[in-house]
Amino acid sequence: MPPLATTLAVVTLLAILVVALPWGMELLRRPMNERARGDAPGAFAQLSAGNTHYQWHGPRSTRVLVLVHGVSSPSWVFAGLIRGLLAMRYRVLSYDLYGRGFSDRPRDSQTLEFHARQLGELLDALGVQVPVTLMGYSMGGAIAATFAADEPDRVDRLILLAPAGVSYTPGRLRTMARDGGRLGSWLWGLLGGWQLKRAARADAANPSVIDDLPRRIRREIRRRGYLAAILSSERHALDRSLKAVHREIGAMYIPTLAIWGEKDAVIPVASLGAFAAWNRQARQEVIDGAGHALPHTHPKQVLSAIRDFLREVPE
């Protein structure tokens, strides 16, 4: 073969390998199956889009509080809050959104309505008939608000921690992946895991009740479908304004607490101004020195704000 032809063949082969690399990396990740769930705590509910992993915390009670986590950290992100919530006489339900933790990885677009449907089906499957207090963190705040607006009779209070749907500032890589079509998908498949590990290391540099955060995120990244779920959420859930949703919640007088981190670079504290205009009935608190990881970096302050809110809005 002539030298030029050989060079072109090598370049072509390398190009094919580079293009295929993210998909090859994904195939090497572990599928979410019964073997992977061997050490999962709690139990599973078979819902319309797949298995959902959940845990009950505390004794049976008619006071139920449901935790809805954010885009990248599964239900364990609330570990530092559960004991304090139990002390408030709640029975606490935590669960993993599709694509995270021990839940299934359906290929559906990860819209807020998709996740709100998962929440409603889980409550039905568990026989929860009483109105619940919903606590949503980051994207989970947008999911909780969407559910509350759609099914207000099932929600008696709404607690939002740095909620998405008001203002959102993703990093450069996530923005490029979100807006880049197939090229963005390739870029996220190649570099998304690296970006998430880097962010986890940065969070771990601050005091936190989750002392092995980087290890937990690495475990998530090794599971097939996790990166795709995050990108789908970036494209179909986190780009939405919930102005109409929060106005509806305010008009229905659902007691609402929004808690913001003073130094949050992802969902900036300036969001509280727009939020106040959308829902004038809501109570808002700002935690000094807190960034976006406030559930596990500032759990005492979060719990204190919740206790004050519950005293203000008794049953």
Side-chain angles (χ1 to χ4, degrees), residues 101-122:
F102 292 104
S103 290
D104 274 350
R105 273 79 169 132
R107 295 185 179 182
D108 308 57
S109 295
Q110 302 237 339
T111 64
L112 295 177
E113 291 77 14
F114 172 71
H115 287 305
R117 185 164 60 251
Q118 180 190 17
L119 172 56
E121 290 182 1
L122 179 62

Side-chain angles (χ1 to χ4, degrees), residues 192-202 214 217-218 221:
W194 167 82
Q195 188 271 333
L196 290 164
K197 287 186 282 189
R198 180 184 179 189
R201 288 194 297 269
I217 291 297
R218 286 197 302 270
I221 294 167

Side-chain angles (χ1 to χ4, degrees), residues 28-42:
L28 292 175
R29 294 188 172 101
R30 301 170 186 172
M32 180 47 60
N33 52 26
E34 293 307 311
R35 181 176 180 181
R37 293 182 173 118
D39 60 347

Side-chain angles (χ1 to χ4, degrees), residues 126-140:
L126 300 182
V128 178
Q129 303 295 329
V130 297
V132 303
T133 296
L134 273 185
M135 181 191 297
Y137 165 51
S138 192
M139 185 180 76

Side-chain angles (χ1 to χ4, degrees), residues 19-276:
V19 169
L21 182 58
W23 286 272
M25 293 166 60
E26 181 69 3
L27 287 174
L28 292 175
R29 294 188 172 101
R30 301 170 186 172
M32 180 47 60
N33 52 26
E34 293 307 311
R35 181 176 180 181
R37 293 182 173 118
D39 60 347
F44 293 85
Q46 181 63 49
L47 309 180
S48 64
N51 267 313
T52 291
H53 171 243
Y54 69 91
Q55 285 182 269
W56 281 112
H57 310 268
R60 289 186 178 275
S61 172
T62 56
R63 287 169 52 86
V64 176
L65 188 148
V66 183
L67 301 172
V68 190
H69 66 79
V71 66
S72 59
S73 300
S75 54
W76 47 253
V77 76
F78 294 112
L81 298 177
I82 289 176
R83 181 177 296 179
L85 296 171
L86 294 178
M88 299 178 201
R89 298 186 297 112
Y90 276 112
R91 190 183 193 201
V92 177
L93 173 64
S94 62
Y95 72 101
D96 293 330
L97 296 173
Y98 289 127
R100 289 87 171 167
F102 292 104
S103 290
D104 274 350
R105 273 79 169 132
R107 295 185 179 182
D108 308 57
S109 295
Q110 302 237 339
T111 64
L112 295 177
E113 291 77 14
F114 172 71
H115 287 305
R117 185 164 60 251
Q118 180 190 17
L119 172 56
E121 290 182 1
L122 179 62
L123 294 177
D124 290 340
L126 300 182
V128 178
Q129 303 295 329
V130 297
V132 303
T133 296
L134 273 185
M135 181 191 297
Y137 165 51
S138 192
M139 185 180 76
I143 295 167
T146 299
F147 182 84
D150 289 345
E151 302 199 48
D153 292 342
R154 305 189 75 173
V155 179
D156 61 6
R157 294 178 183 83
L158 193 58
I159 301 171
L160 307 174
L161 310 182
V166 186
S167 176
Y168 174 55
T169 308
R172 181 177 298 179
L173 176 61
R174 292 200 188 200
T175 301
M176 294 170 64
R178 180 192 66 195
D179 300 337
R182 290 185 179 180
L183 179 59
S185 298
W186 175 85
L187 187 65
W188 181 250
L190 187 67
L191 299 177
W194 167 82
Q195 188 271 333
L196 290 164
K197 287 186 282 189
R198 180 184 179 189
R201 288 194 297 269
D203 284 344
N206 299 310
S208 170
V209 296
I210 301 176
D211 56 9
D212 60 344
L213 181 64
R215 181 188 67 81
R216 293 182 186 230
I217 291 297
R218 286 197 302 270
R219 183 177 181 181
E220 293 297 315
I221 294 167
R222 295 189 188 112
R223 290 170 174 160
R224 195 178 300 167
Y226 172 70
L227 291 179
I230 292 176
L231 181 56
S232 184
S233 294
E234 290 285 348
R235 289 175 169 171
H236 301 293
L238 290 171
D239 62 341
R240 286 181 51 185
S241 167
L242 295 188
K243 180 178 181 179
V245 166
H246 286 297
R247 283 187 167 176
E248 187 173 354
I249 290 170
M252 292 185 291
Y253 292 92
I254 298 174
T256 301
L257 168 66
I259 303 176
W260 312 90
E262 178 200 16
K263 296 183 177 180
D264 193 337
V266 179
I267 298 178
V269 68
S271 301
L272 66 83
F275 189 86

